[in-house]
Amino acid sequence: KRLIAPSKATERLAEIAYQVDLRHKQPGKSTKSAERKRDKYSQIPAFLVTTVSEDSLDTDLESVSDEYDLLPYTPPSEEALDDYAKTCAAVQNVLLSLRSENINAKWTNGPLLRTPAFRKLIRAESNDRVVGLILVGDASKKS
């Protein structure tokens, strides 16, 4: 069982994580947290992104001035919420499957996923709601 080495996409993900963390740090705090996040993300052998299409969602990447700023949150419709829940259940099954193969994985979400930079990286459509980012790694390595 081998995982691929970090790729150009992983490098870009690490840079996005760094830039977003810098913008959301507490005033007066150092940049060490953002640097640690960039270093950690740059070592990820692989990542998966889960999305769900939502007819009523129309993400406008031009609604923010900087590609690392957060896009406005749009609450899901009741029907979309059901699809979102089903996708979450599928993600949990993926995590369990990876673990059964002795592959560590972490499901994460947060500000990073709500930026134009991330949406461009994953080539999300305007009606795609990002459910989560699954960071995949080797279970034999300590993080």
Side-chain angles (χ1 to χ4, degrees):
K1 295 173 191 156
R2 279 191 72 154
L3 293 173
I4 59 172
S7 65
K8 294 280 184 201
T10 303
E11 291 172 16
R12 180 67 180 131
L13 178 64
E15 181 60 23
I16 295 167
Y18 171 76
Q19 293 295 334
V20 171
D21 200 72
L22 279 180
R23 284 160 174 75
H24 294 279
K25 74 180 187 72
Q26 299 288 331
K29 292 260 185 168
S30 76
T31 61
K32 288 190 188 294
S33 170
E35 292 165 4
R36 280 192 306 270
K37 190 166 279 193
R38 179 178 52 200
D39 293 344
K40 186 173 184 175
Y41 274 63
S42 69
Q43 298 303 310
I44 297 166
F47 66 92
L48 306 168
V49 178
T50 54
T51 62
V52 63
S53 291
E54 190 175 322
D55 291 338
S56 62
L57 185 65
D58 186 20
T59 305
D60 178 13
L61 299 184
E62 305 302 318
S63 65
V64 294
S65 59
D66 185 285
E67 70 174 341
Y68 303 111
D69 286 341
L70 297 184
L71 291 163
Y73 176 73
T74 305
S77 66
E78 206 168 309
E79 181 182 325
L81 197 55
D82 187 51
D83 290 341
Y84 186 90
K86 290 173 186 174
T87 304
C88 290
V91 169
Q92 181 62 29
N93 287 334
V94 169
L95 293 173
L96 292 170
S97 178
L98 288 169
R99 189 64 199 136
S100 75
E101 296 294 326
N102 202 32
I103 298 171
N104 279 347
K106 177 184 177 185
W107 179 2
T108 185
N109 55 25
L112 167 74
L113 308 185
R114 289 186 40 221
T115 63
F118 182 78
R119 293 185 66 84
K120 287 176 190 171
L121 173 66
I122 66 166
R123 297 183 181 123
E125 298 291 330
S126 64
N127 67 330
D128 286 340
R129 184 177 299 276
V130 178
V131 175
L133 170 64
I134 302 172
L135 309 174
V136 182
D138 185 345
S140 65
K141 293 183 180 178
K142 302 259 188 210
S143 57

